[in-house]
Amino acid sequence: MNRVSNVIKEIKKTMKLFNFKKKTIDTKYLKKTNNFFSSPHNFFFINGAILKKLEILEIDQKFINSGIKFLIDHQNINGSFDEWYANENSFCASAYTGYYLSNLINEKINVNFKEDILTCLKKLNRYLDNKSNFTNLNQELAKFGFQSKFQKRYDPKYLNLILKKTLEYENFEYGGIDLGYLSVNLMILSDLLTNKFNNKLFNIFKYQLDIYSKITNNFKNFPNYIFSRSSRIVMLSGFLYAHKKGLISNLEFDNTYQNYIRSLKNYIKKKDKKYLSFFFSGDFVNIISVSQVKYERHNLKKKINIIPRYRSFIINKDKSLNFYLANSNILALNSKKNTKYFFDTNLNYLNKKYIPKINERFDFYGKKIFSKNLFIEVKNFKFLKKNLNSITYISKYIGLGNFIKSLGKKLLINHKTAKNMASYRKISFHGKKIYIQETIIVKKNFIPKLISLSLDKEQFYFSPTSFINKKDLGVFLNYKKKVYNKMKYSIHKISYECS
């Protein structure tokens, strides 16, 4: 397949960003600006070893070995690995380390310290065995992938649990769906199915592929940024496997491939070595493996009718609007050429930002959409970042992993709902034009003179895989705003046209 040869070119291009003459690409650790090692930076060494064996890349074996050895030498005493701070005991980093390392045991890879790898995997298995993280299904699947390869079998109870959680698809990632991480799920599942086929696992794969199909309008539009985590990563190997199994057409695969190339180029342009190492390197390996699968004919039977909290509206044959109500201050306008994103207005008051995030109502009448969104209060991140850095530094010596996790969840993930304010939105269609009216109502226990509105085209996300490019932003035309003070309320009316 020509697409595979093109991906190999992209792999070689991506590899030019990496310097295997050092034991790690974690530059912050090397420069001692961080006092701990972040393990995902070294996943590229593991996957690089397999790509070398497959004769895709030419890399000096001693540099590959030194990077893998450096990774396992930084395993915590309890068997875990760190990603964001010292003594973090990260489920995510630990699960993915095991998932990637286990390939070196099953593959005939030229590594001269396989006993060290086996010891590392045994410690990892003990650490992860009684832990789960189904609030991040991609991480749980990485653990499942690791243990399945390490134990050389699919645990039937674990497999049934994966199926059960797959059917609860409205809560895949942090209480919602994420298009990017859904592609990671498909990557892991296709990897496992390529190694050892299992009918139940194949059905799990088809369920998750069906969800992806529904969200992308049969692989035509990819509104990544509106979802709960809004990650901009895209893995290809799961879709290549689906194509090999006859589950998606040539056109559907081609559309997904173009989306994948855009995602990969974004990360190359940003020189984001961590996530190129973390996810893309594993996907590179899996693409080569899946490309060897023989073509078969299967039908992707549509089993899922409605995706909770996801709404899509066809405006005309060229345009559609997408909403995700777990991230209700943003909409995606899809056309044949691209997807443009439009953000609601934020409110600023006394050095705090308020974002209309929680959807209370969403109604559609003919050519009009009405919604009511409540605001969340977003903390001062500069203050948090400064102080969290101090705490994470101390963690190397005292071990504040659980405390930092609890603090981070409270401050960065679980936000307070702002009282006494709400945002009402009306969206109407006229021909090819889309008009939006926002009405923000604030009770006057907020001092009106200290309230300001901002259309900063930013949204609070704690995910580092979330970013938006300027070219992705929609254009506001005929933007107008007025302020009224009535009785106990301050009323802000905003209107504009989307283009």
Side-chain angles (χ1 to χ4, degrees):
M1 184 180 286
N2 290 334
R3 290 304 187 199
V4 176
S5 60
N6 287 340
V7 169
I8 291 173
K9 291 177 185 176
E10 295 297 334
I11 293 171
K12 292 179 178 179
K13 200 184 302 179
T14 307
M15 289 298 298
K16 291 179 182 178
L17 293 175
F18 294 84
N19 180 1
F20 284 97
K21 293 182 180 180
K22 295 179 180 177
K23 294 180 179 181
T24 179
I25 57 170
D26 186 353
T27 53
K28 288 185 178 180
Y29 182 77
L30 290 174
K31 292 177 181 177
K32 298 183 179 179
T33 54
N34 272 351
N35 68 338
F36 72 98
F37 164 66
S38 179
S39 60
H41 287 88
N42 276 42
F43 294 166
F44 223 122
F45 289 88
I46 302 170
N47 294 309
I50 301 171
L51 291 170
K52 176 180 172 63
K53 182 231 175 187
L54 295 170
E55 298 181 348
I56 303 298
L57 297 174
E58 294 181 7
I59 313 168
D60 192 309
Q61 189 65 47
K62 68 179 181 181
F63 296 136
I64 288 285
N65 288 349
S66 67
I68 298 170
K69 189 71 166 62
F70 188 83
L71 171 66
I72 62 178
D73 284 347
H74 281 78
Q75 186 175 26
N76 294 327
I77 294 172
N78 65 358
S80 69
F81 283 86
D82 299 327
E83 180 185 358
W84 292 107
Y85 48 87
N87 292 312
E88 177 188 1
N89 305 322
S90 167
F91 182 96
C92 177
S94 302
Y96 275 98
T97 301
Y99 171 59
Y100 290 129
L101 271 178
S102 59
N103 287 327
L104 298 184
I105 302 302
N106 297 329
E107 297 280 347
K108 295 178 181 178
I109 306 297
N110 183 23
V111 179
N112 56 8
F113 46 89
K114 285 197 175 180
E115 285 302 317
D116 292 342
I117 295 173
L118 273 171
T119 300
C120 171
L121 291 176
K122 287 174 183 176
K123 288 169 67 178
L124 258 175
N125 191 46
R126 284 195 296 270
Y127 173 74
L128 289 169
D129 202 34
N130 295 315
K131 294 178 176 61
S132 64
N133 192 9
F134 279 103
T135 54
N136 301 98
L137 188 57
N138 77 90
Q139 297 176 23
E140 191 67 41
L141 282 172
K143 176 195 167 185
F144 175 74
F146 154 52
Q147 291 191 328
S148 298
K149 289 182 178 183
F150 184 60
Q151 297 164 6
K152 297 184 179 180
R153 69 184 186 94
Y154 296 127
D155 183 310
K157 288 184 179 179
Y158 201 174
L159 195 57
N160 285 335
L161 189 55
I162 295 287
L163 175 59
K164 179 177 180 288
K165 294 298 181 180
T166 291
L167 298 176
E168 298 170 3
Y169 48 84
E170 67 271 25
N171 291 309
F172 276 2
E173 303 291 334
Y174 288 94
I177 288 176
D178 182 285
L179 200 59
Y181 283 105
L182 186 51
S183 78
V184 176
N185 292 1
L186 294 172
M187 174 190 81
I188 296 170
L189 291 167
S190 66
D191 176 28
L192 294 172
L193 286 164
T194 303
N195 278 283
K196 187 177 181 180
F197 188 84
N198 175 281
N199 278 318
K200 185 169 286 186
L201 195 64
F202 189 53
N203 284 330
I204 291 169
F205 177 85
K206 287 193 290 184
Y207 267 114
Q208 297 201 25
L209 183 67
D210 188 13
I211 294 166
Y212 200 99
S213 174
K214 288 285 194 305
I215 288 173
T216 59
N217 187 21
N218 295 322
F219 306 95
K220 293 175 186 173
N221 306 117
F222 301 87
N224 305 60
Y225 203 72
I226 66 172
F227 291 97
S228 54
R229 284 275 288 196
S230 297
S231 62
R232 302 303 296 277
I233 56 176
V234 180
M235 302 296 105
L236 184 68
S237 55
F239 303 104
L240 179 58
Y241 182 81
H243 184 256
K244 287 277 190 172
K245 290 293 182 180
L247 296 170
I248 61 176
S249 68
N250 288 336
L251 179 60
E252 289 170 331
F253 177 72
D254 192 59
N255 289 343
T256 311
Y257 173 80
Q258 297 301 332
N259 187 42
Y260 163 78
I261 291 296
R262 284 193 295 271
S263 171
L264 178 58
K265 285 182 176 178
N266 266 326
Y267 281 89
I268 292 172
K269 186 177 180 180
K270 288 164 69 71
K271 294 184 178 179
D272 192 334
K273 294 181 182 180
K274 177 181 176 180
Y275 285 97
L276 286 167
S277 172
F278 200 152
F279 294 114
F280 284 95
S281 71
D283 193 46
F284 291 163
V285 169
N286 202 29
I287 286 168
I288 306 304
S289 176
V290 168
S291 68
Q292 306 303 315
V293 172
K294 291 183 179 180
Y295 281 97
E296 295 181 55
R297 288 193 175 185
H298 293 269
N299 291 321
L300 181 59
K301 294 179 181 178
K302 304 295 183 180
K303 297 182 179 181
I304 296 161
N305 296 318
I306 298 172
I307 305 293
R309 295 177 286 185
Y310 177 72
R311 301 289 184 272
S312 182
F313 299 96
I314 304 299
I315 299 170
N316 54 47
K317 64 178 183 178
D318 298 322
K319 287 186 177 181
S320 64
L321 276 178
N322 297 110
F323 302 83
Y324 191 62
L325 302 184
N327 195 21
S328 58
N329 81 316
I330 185 172
L331 62 89
L333 175 60
N334 295 304
S335 66
K336 286 184 177 180
K337 293 181 179 179
N338 53 38
T339 299
K340 296 291 183 181
Y341 299 97
F342 296 86
F343 294 82
D344 280 4
T345 305
N346 297 329
L347 189 147
N348 307 296
Y349 184 79
L350 295 179
N351 201 33
K352 291 181 181 178
K353 180 175 284 190
Y354 298 87
I355 293 172
K357 180 84 170 173
I358 301 170
N359 182 260
E360 273 212 329
R361 196 184 81 211
F362 191 92
D363 301 307
F364 179 64
Y365 300 104
K367 293 188 175 182
K368 291 182 181 179
I369 297 170
F370 297 90
S371 65
K372 177 185 178 182
N373 301 320
L374 300 183
F375 285 80
I376 59 167
E377 178 186 316
V378 176
K379 308 291 182 182
N380 185 328
F381 291 108
K382 289 181 181 178
F383 172 81
L384 284 175
K385 189 175 180 181
K386 181 180 177 182
N387 287 277
L388 279 175
N389 282 345
S390 301
I391 297 171
T392 55
Y393 186 84
I394 296 168
S395 181
K396 182 173 182 179
Y397 307 101
I398 301 177
L400 300 173
N402 289 332
F403 171 73
I404 295 171
K405 284 178 187 175
S406 299
L407 186 65
K409 189 173 182 180
K410 184 176 181 181
L411 297 179
L412 302 178
I413 300 173
N414 297 333
H415 299 287
K416 282 200 298 185
T417 304
K419 296 180 180 179
N420 303 321
M421 62 172 69
S423 172
Y424 299 83
R425 180 171 58 179
K426 182 176 84 170
I427 301 171
S428 54
F429 317 132
H430 297 285
K432 292 186 178 181
K433 294 187 176 182
I434 301 165
Y435 298 96
I436 296 184
Q437 291 179 323
E438 291 181 55
T439 302
I440 298 174
I441 300 176
V442 184
K443 278 194 176 178
K444 282 189 178 175
N445 51 343
F446 288 82
I447 302 169
K449 289 183 179 179
L450 299 179
I451 294 173
S452 66
L453 303 180
S454 65
L455 198 64
D456 50 21
K457 301 174 184 175
E458 292 179 359
Q459 167 62 26
F460 167 65
Y461 298 109
F462 59 90
S463 170
T465 55
S466 285
F467 57 86
I468 191 161
N469 298 316
K470 287 184 179 179
K471 66 179 181 180
D472 295 330
L473 294 169
V475 177
F476 293 91
L477 300 176
N478 302 318
Y479 186 86
K480 298 174 184 176
K481 63 180 178 180
K482 293 182 180 179
V483 180
Y484 304 90
N485 289 303
K486 292 186 178 180
M487 303 290 287
K488 299 178 181 179
Y489 302 97
S490 177
I491 302 170
H492 304 257
K493 285 188 172 288
I494 306 109
S495 63
Y496 48 87
E497 181 186 336
C498 293
S499 176

